[in-house]
Amino acid sequence: MASTFDAVACANASGFSAARYQLPPPQFTVLSSIVLTGKNESNRQALRELGSLQTGRVYLFPRRPYRNKLWKQLLHPAKMIRSTPFFAIRQLRRTGYQFEEFVARPAGEYLQAVSSLAGDDPRLQRLMAEKVPSVGVIAVALGLADYRYERVVLSGFSFEITHAHAVNPLIAARGSTESRHAETDVIALGLISRHTGGVFTTEPVVHQRTGIPLLEG
């Protein structure tokens, strides 16, 4: 199977699935700063799993608390520190996660890459102002924009908060498996696929909801 692709890219602890299927370590992984805070059991599950994984380059996607509310940011400095590269690197070192390089960029740079690949669509820009895309979408954007992948295949991707490595406790707490990123992700991926012609999927649900071409067999 490895001969059918050139590189693997992952988001958060999805490297678990890649390792389970004996795929090579990801060329890069996008990690959300929220996951690295370990603020709830879902995040802590991911942190524990990262300890057994490795990647080439780590991209930190910073998710600052109290977005657009400066006064709250000033009142909660400890929470702000947890979104910094320093805190992220410390957490990764503690878990034992193996990586070769750590990259920290402003969130706006990642979002601009998504927007550009989607043709600067106004509807998507409005959605992203309310809810940013998931790190899975950021990984797609990096693959196309930075790594110049000719074809990106979404495998193991869904619009749910289910995890391959454990039962996500947020499902019971919320009473739903739907990701809060779902609407933004569906629109972003569909637009990126249509504008670039370079995105495909092995997942029927992704094909059905976005129109991304389905690879079968």
Side-chain angles (χ1 to χ4, degrees):
M1 183 176 178
S3 62
T4 64
F5 58 88
D6 296 318
V8 174
C10 290
N12 289 334
S14 66
F16 170 87
S17 296
R20 184 174 66 180
Y21 289 105
Q22 298 183 317
L23 300 178
Q27 185 175 26
F28 70 88
T29 298
V30 183
L31 293 175
S32 167
S33 63
I34 289 181
V35 167
L36 296 179
T37 65
K39 72 173 186 176
N40 58 41
E41 181 55 28
S42 177
N43 298 155
R44 291 189 286 274
Q45 286 177 348
L47 281 172
R48 289 192 291 269
E49 195 55 50
L50 286 174
S52 66
L53 303 175
Q54 61 180 306
T55 192
R57 183 176 291 168
V58 170
Y59 287 92
L60 177 68
F61 182 43
R63 301 284 305 284
R64 292 174 66 83
Y66 313 116
R67 196 161 64 114
N68 302 322
K69 295 181 180 178
L70 179 59
W71 65 274
K72 280 196 173 184
Q73 293 178 12
L74 294 173
L75 287 175
H76 300 277
K79 289 187 177 181
M80 300 308 297
I81 288 173
R82 294 190 186 102
S83 68
T84 63
F86 170 80
F87 182 86
I89 291 174
R90 188 182 71 169
Q91 288 288 81
L92 293 175
R93 296 297 187 198
R94 282 180 171 180
T95 67
Y97 188 51
Q98 298 180 47
F99 58 95
E100 298 171 6
E101 185 180 356
F102 182 92
V103 179
R105 295 177 178 173
E109 289 192 15
Y110 297 111
L111 299 180
Q112 182 56 54
V114 172
S115 182
S116 296
L117 289 165
D120 294 318
D121 182 82
R123 180 187 177 191
L124 176 60
Q125 291 173 347
R126 288 193 296 271
L127 284 172
M128 290 198 300
E130 295 297 323
K131 189 64 179 178
V132 298
S134 69
V135 286
V137 173
I138 302 299
V140 171
L142 285 171
L144 292 168
D146 282 33
Y147 290 83
R148 305 296 179 185
Y149 293 165
E150 293 182 1
R151 183 167 75 165
V152 171
V153 179
L154 292 171
S155 186
F157 194 99
S158 75
F159 304 105
E160 299 183 336
I161 56 174
T162 53
H163 295 153
H165 55 80
V167 176
N168 189 343
L170 290 179
I171 295 173
R174 295 180 184 176
S176 172
T177 62
E178 182 86 344
S179 167
R180 291 173 177 169
H181 301 275
E183 184 179 9
T184 305
D185 285 2
V186 167
I187 299 300
L189 291 171
L191 286 167
I192 291 172
S193 175
R194 290 192 289 276
H195 278 271
T196 67
V199 183
F200 302 83
T201 185
T202 58
E203 309 302 324
V205 66
V206 176
H207 166 67
Q208 292 162 8
R209 295 189 65 175
T210 68
I212 291 175
L214 181 66
L215 297 180
E216 300 181 274

